[in-house]
Amino acid sequence: MIHCIRGALFALLFVTLLQSVCSDFQTLEHLRAKASDKNQSRAVVDLLRRLLGNRSRDFIVSVNRTLSNDTLDVCELRSAKNNKILAVGSTGVAVATGIYNYLKYFCNCHVSWSGDQLNIPQPLPPLTGVLRINTPHRFRYYQNVCTQSYSSVWWDWPRWQREIDWMALNGVNLPLAFTGQEVLWQEVYLSLGLNQTELDRFFTGPAFLAWNRMGNLFEWGGPLPQSWHVKQLYLQFKILERMRSFGMIPVLPAFSGIVPEGITRLFPQANVTKLSPWSHFNCTYSCAYVLDPRDPLFQRIGSLFLTQVIQEFGTDHIYNTDTFNEMVPASSDPTYLASISRAVFNTMTSVDPQAIWLMQGWLFISDPSFWKPDQVKALLHGVPLGRMIVLDLFAESMPVYSSTNSFYGQPFIWCMLHNFGGNSGLFGTVESINSGPFDAIRFPNSTLVGLGMTPEGIEQNPVVYELMSELAWRKEPVNLYKWVSLYALRRYGSMDENLTVAWQLLFHSVYNCTLPKYKNHNKSPLVHRPSLHMQTDIWYEPADFYKAWKLLLEAAPGFVTQETFRYDLVDVTRQALQLLTTEFYKEIQSAFQAQKLPDLLTAGGVLVYDLLPELDRLLSSNEHFLLGVWLEQAQSQGVDEHEAQLYDINARNQITLWGPDGEILDYASKEWGGLVEDYYLQRWGLFVNTLVECLDRGRPFKQDVFNQAVFQVEKGFVYNQRKYPSKPLGDTYEIARRIFLKYYPYALKRLK
């Protein structure tokens, strides 16, 4: 009871602090746009020109920070002379969001990772009076530390520019900005006396840097070429300049205590602990060296790094670092844990007295047996109240704020994680994200200061991210069926009853997972190493999904010229074949167990010789589902053949073996044209052939023997150096229609 009262008092104290206008840094008032109103206005004008071409002249843009008197973003739109729309907002982000809201709800337009639909009416629809768009949330956070590896690792500037435009249109004002930090770490460690060989054993290859930064992984996929450092540093300069031009507040990296092994050579007296292996790795590539934050060397290294960060990148006074990410602390003593967070924070404030620590709350989810209330409170209270913001990282499924009295008084951001590993597959928790943020606002003594989107991988399920970003500007939950009906209208540009019903069915089924604590890893047998004990359960009613598939196919002739429609036709048909793969797997499994060779040959034959090849052809017909694009982007980062080959292997390994020996096998699985044919299909072919051989010879199936054989197939793909098309092949509609006519009757039969 005493803990509860104390927690409530802390929370009440923090709310009072937030509401005050005092100039000390116990508030978050100093986290605000640095660019001038004029520069932010120019940034939005440039965005509209990139997005709308000549039609951008129909909008008059103005940023006026005095429009908001409480740091909460607002945009006001009204009709002006000559059929133009005037948009005035408190920041560039507010103006961009306001204009996108107008484009969505007055012009039926749409912008997404998988294509745009920008058939804007001429002239622009007029507004009666003032359309006011505002948000109750101070911060709208975006990205996960893993997104940097699973999605944006190979991006060039045009792709980053497009993403930052998307952030602005969707209201993001607190983005993670982690690119290019390795070159600063290199400078720090070289200045301390480490040699290049020791650094080469520390940094991973590009596709695994997210876990290197968190202290999970070292050297694998490396060494990191010097040209990589130069390119990424240059890219970071452009990223930060553009983010700030919109009035965004980029989150920069800070020191968590992970150090190269060479530190123990240079400073043998330093209090360095070697941790246990991470995940399924051994100490060859894992087992981090952690410097105790109470050691004077921690302060020295941390301040050296942050000084470099601010010198090169400037600062907006907010930094992310994560202690104990999926790693167990040396002690559970609350005094120890408080001293750790206090030392980490003091390192920040020694360089930037205005520093705010943004911390991912994943550690409280990943190891709840360690992080009991006393331990959580100690770690959080090692930092003065209001000087840390916690990301409640997976709040749509496993919120932490509700079991910690609103993080015991520290401000927090309610985040939707949604995606693990950048996996393909339709998925959503629309009811949860539609209600969760509003529950967090109403929570007693809530210290909520924003909403966030923290997917491990992006460029999938665009509907979920459009809904989530829009909810940050809503005062109450939306009517989901009405919302998704309007989504279908603007995504495809015109109303169609079939498409409206299809999307309502999708929102009722595959996009509405209500299973408690469900994690969206693609668990389909299709993308996992075959065995006789695979997971086959799903969270939705397949009958509703198949109905949606049918309605989409029926509408296809009138919409197939739309890029957004073609993407959805591929994605929904892909999901149908994923479901059907599970059904054929069940038939294979039962045929083998019943020793029915003809049935095994039939089910296995259909899967290996027709369904999976058809899936590969379908995916290969759309530019958004191509392995060749991922590999080409990776290879293009290399300055010579050797580097291009290194990056190619990085890119292939991450989406398949994830480690030298499949340590995190298929965690980052993708359903892409080329990958299905040369990786998943080959595994399933070997599996079916092995089962047939076992039945034929009267032998049992031995998983360990099969694993050794299939590992050679998996490893062979990583190193095969084959070139894959980066341009689509075939007619999407014809392929999808053929698949539908062939497999829809079977799908209905399996429902009975």
Side-chain angles (χ1 to χ4, degrees):
M1 180 61 77
I2 291 171
H3 289 316
C4 292
I5 294 169
R6 191 179 298 155
L9 285 172
F10 274 127
L12 192 60
L13 170 65
F14 177 69
V15 171
T16 306
L17 287 170
L18 264 186
Q19 292 170 341
S20 75
V21 290
C22 60
S23 60
D24 68 33
F25 301 121
Q26 283 186 289
T27 73
L28 303 172
E29 294 283 325
H30 64 296
L31 299 182
R32 55 172 65 240
K34 296 290 197 300
S36 69
D37 290 356
K38 184 180 177 182
N39 286 348
Q40 291 182 62
S41 299
R42 189 180 302 122
V44 178
V45 169
D46 291 344
L47 181 162
L48 293 176
R49 194 177 295 124
R50 286 188 294 273
L51 189 69
L52 306 177
N54 289 336
R55 294 303 304 275
S56 65
R57 296 171 187 162
D58 292 348
F59 293 90
I60 303 166
V61 168
S62 175
V63 172
N64 180 356
R65 66 188 63 205
T66 63
L67 194 63
S68 170
N69 56 14
D70 57 5
T71 72
L72 296 177
D73 270 336
V74 59
C75 180
E76 293 181 348
L77 299 98
R78 52 177 62 83
S79 288
K81 291 178 183 176
N82 302 318
N83 299 311
K84 292 182 187 260
I85 293 292
L86 170 65
V88 183
S90 53
T91 62
V93 169
V95 176
T97 305
I99 290 174
Y100 187 41
N101 185 281
Y102 171 81
L103 288 170
K104 285 194 291 190
Y105 287 102
F106 290 83
C107 304
N108 297 325
C109 289
H110 176 71
V111 177
S112 78
W113 294 311
S114 48
D116 302 336
Q117 192 288 110
L118 292 168
N119 186 17
I120 302 174
Q122 177 76 38
L124 288 176
L127 289 171
T128 306
V130 176
L131 174 64
R132 185 178 170 89
I133 310 294
N134 60 342
T135 175
H137 299 288
R138 176 74 177 82
F139 302 110
R140 286 86 59 198
Y141 176 78
Y142 179 53
Q143 286 206 354
N144 180 305
V145 290
C146 298
T147 324
Q148 307 275 316
S149 288
Y150 284 136
S151 296
S152 60
V153 55
W154 312 120
W155 285 1
D156 55 12
W157 170 242
R159 180 63 188 86
W160 264 110
Q161 177 172 254
R162 166 78 182 182
E163 191 70 10
I164 298 168
D165 286 352
W166 181 91
M167 292 181 204
L169 293 167
N170 286 282
V172 171
N173 71 345
L174 190 66
L176 197 63
F178 265 27
T179 303
Q181 62 177 282
E182 279 67 36
V183 69
L184 306 189
W185 281 119
Q186 179 171 268
E187 286 187 33
V188 166
Y189 287 129
L190 289 176
S191 74
L192 288 170
L194 270 76
N195 58 50
Q196 194 60 51
T197 302
E198 288 170 319
L199 288 178
D200 287 345
R201 289 178 187 153
F202 180 66
F203 295 128
T204 61
F208 304 96
L209 282 173
W211 301 277
N212 180 248
R213 293 164 181 170
M214 290 185 282
N216 305 131
L217 199 64
F218 309 95
E219 195 177 349
W220 173 245
L224 204 54
Q226 292 305 307
S227 63
W228 175 266
H229 292 311
V230 174
K231 281 184 160 188
Q232 295 296 297
L233 184 64
Y234 177 66
L235 197 54
Q236 174 76 333
F237 290 145
K238 299 184 85 166
I239 290 167
L240 289 171
E241 187 279 326
R242 182 60 56 80
M243 285 176 172
R244 287 170 176 149
S245 75
F246 284 117
M248 295 178 189
I249 303 162
V251 179
L252 295 172
F255 181 50
S256 68
I258 306 299
V259 293
E261 183 181 0
I263 286 291
T264 61
R265 173 183 65 81
L266 288 171
F267 304 96
Q269 303 306 314
N271 187 357
V272 176
T273 304
K274 185 177 182 179
L275 297 183
S276 302
W278 171 70
S279 191
H280 299 290
F281 282 85
N282 59 34
C283 285
T284 306
Y285 297 111
S286 187
C287 300
Y289 287 85
V290 180
L291 179 60
D292 191 305
R294 299 166 300 182
D295 191 298
L297 185 60
F298 187 101
Q299 175 81 26
R300 183 179 170 191
I301 294 174
S303 59
L304 273 173
F305 176 66
L306 202 56
T307 300
Q308 283 274 20
V309 167
I310 294 172
Q311 189 176 310
E312 293 291 345
F313 301 151
T315 186
D316 295 82
H317 308 297
I318 184 162
Y319 309 96
N320 167 255
T321 189
D322 293 302
T323 50
F324 315 125
N325 180 69
E326 297 183 0
M327 297 182 289
V328 180
S331 168
S332 61
D333 178 19
T335 306
Y336 166 78
L337 294 169
S339 71
I340 296 294
S341 56
R342 187 178 305 115
V344 172
F345 181 67
N346 287 345
T347 303
M348 296 179 193
T349 54
S350 70
V351 178
D352 179 0
Q354 298 175 251
I356 300 292
W357 179 3
L358 181 82
M359 186 182 81
Q360 292 196 138
W362 181 251
L363 71 170
F364 306 133
I365 298 168
S366 67
D367 194 0
S369 62
F370 179 91
W371 293 103
K372 299 287 199 311
D374 286 347
Q375 284 69 36
V376 174
K377 189 182 295 184
L379 189 75
L380 296 177
H381 283 181
V383 177
L385 284 176
R387 300 297 298 272
M388 170 187 273
I389 300 175
V390 185
L391 298 176
D392 202 345
L393 208 70
F394 192 23
E396 80 271 32
S397 292
M398 299 172 72
V400 177
Y401 79 88
S402 53
S403 60
T404 57
N405 294 327
S406 231
F407 290 98
Y408 302 112
Q410 291 289 19
F412 76 96
I413 295 176
W414 191 101
C415 297
M416 175 192 77
L417 201 159
H418 180 258
N419 178 277
F420 289 83
N423 293 157
S424 309
L426 303 184
F427 180 82
T429 54
V430 292
E431 282 186 14
S432 176
I433 65 172
N434 193 36
S435 61
F438 303 98
D439 293 339
I441 290 173
R442 292 189 297 266
F443 190 75
N445 298 317
S446 177
T447 53
L448 181 77
V449 292
L451 301 188
M453 298 181 286
T454 54
E456 287 192 351
I458 57 172
E459 299 178 312
Q460 39 72 30
N461 294 294
V463 66
V464 175
Y465 296 85
E466 180 141 321
L467 174 61
M468 185 64 214
S469 59
E470 201 173 295
L471 286 168
W473 298 75
R474 296 271 188 166
K475 305 291 188 298
E476 59 187 11
V478 301
N479 178 316
L480 288 171
Y481 282 150
K482 184 179 177 184
W483 187 91
V484 82
S485 300
L486 292 172
Y487 175 84
L489 165 61
R490 60 182 182 264
R491 184 153 170 87
Y492 307 130
S494 58
M495 186 67 80
D496 180 277
E497 184 62 28
N498 274 8
L499 295 177
T500 301
V501 176
W503 272 101
Q504 289 174 347
L505 285 166
L506 291 173
F507 254 41
H508 184 65
S509 57
V510 71
Y511 279 117
N512 192 31
C513 178
T514 56
L515 298 178
K517 302 183 179 181
Y518 190 85
K519 292 181 181 178
N520 174 30
H521 294 287
N522 188 340
K523 299 178 175 70
S524 167
L526 170 60
V527 292
H528 289 275
R529 182 185 279 177
S531 78
L532 290 171
H533 307 284
M534 304 188 81
Q535 195 165 328
T536 59
D537 57 315
I538 55 173
W539 64 91
Y540 57 99
E541 178 53 61
D544 287 340
F545 174 79
Y546 288 136
K547 269 186 222 164
W549 183 30
K550 181 174 185 285
L551 291 167
L552 209 65
L553 254 297
E554 288 173 355
F559 289 87
V560 79
T561 56
Q562 288 279 3
E563 180 186 7
T564 47
F565 181 86
R566 289 195 305 275
Y567 177 93
D568 291 344
L569 182 61
V570 170
D571 210 16
V572 171
T573 305
R574 176 208 53 70
Q575 187 78 14
L577 291 183
Q578 179 180 293
L579 276 176
L580 292 168
T581 296
T582 300
E583 295 304 318
F584 281 107
Y585 165 70
K586 289 177 185 173
E587 290 190 13
I588 290 167
Q589 183 188 45
S590 61
F592 179 78
Q593 288 167 346
Q595 299 190 1
K596 294 181 177 178
L597 185 57
D599 292 353
L600 175 59
L601 288 167
T602 300
V606 172
L607 180 65
V608 171
Y609 296 109
D610 192 81
L611 190 151
L612 293 179
E614 285 281 48
L615 174 58
D616 195 80
R617 283 188 280 272
L618 173 76
L619 298 168
S620 297
S621 73
N622 188 284
E623 63 269 29
H624 298 286
F625 296 88
L626 296 178
L627 170 65
V629 170
W630 172 251
L631 297 182
E632 194 174 90
Q633 288 173 344
Q635 292 160 14
S636 70
Q637 293 290 335
V639 298
D640 56 33
E641 186 58 36
H642 174 74
E643 285 186 17
Q645 194 172 341
L646 175 71
Y647 298 155
D648 179 74
I649 292 169
N650 264 253
R652 290 166 182 260
N653 183 274
Q654 187 208 85
I655 60 175
T656 54
L657 288 172
W658 215 123
D661 299 307
E663 281 80 356
I664 316 181
L665 181 66
D666 298 318
Y667 182 96
S669 66
K670 307 288 186 292
E671 290 171 34
W672 286 341
L675 188 62
V676 169
E677 181 179 45
D678 273 11
Y679 184 71
Y680 302 122
L681 173 57
Q682 301 309 313
R683 294 202 300 198
W684 279 101
L686 181 61
F687 181 65
V688 171
N689 285 340
T690 303
L691 293 181
V692 168
E693 197 173 286
C694 287
L695 279 191
D696 205 34
R697 299 184 180 181
R699 294 177 183 168
F701 173 76
K702 294 184 177 177
Q703 187 69 47
D704 57 341
V705 176
F706 174 75
N707 287 349
Q708 290 172 20
V710 80
F711 176 69
Q712 298 308 314
V713 172
E714 295 158 345
K715 195 172 180 179
F717 167 79
V718 173
Y719 294 99
N720 73 18
Q721 296 187 354
R722 180 179 166 185
K723 297 286 182 190
Y724 293 89
S726 56
K727 297 281 187 271
L729 300 166
D731 184 314
T732 295
Y733 172 61
E734 289 303 324
I735 297 167
R737 184 170 175 273
R738 183 175 69 234
I739 290 169
F740 178 80
L741 292 173
K742 204 186 302 187
Y743 285 104
Y744 184 70
Y746 174 82
L748 293 184
K749 183 180 166 187
R750 293 295 293 182
L751 292 174
K752 293 172 184 174

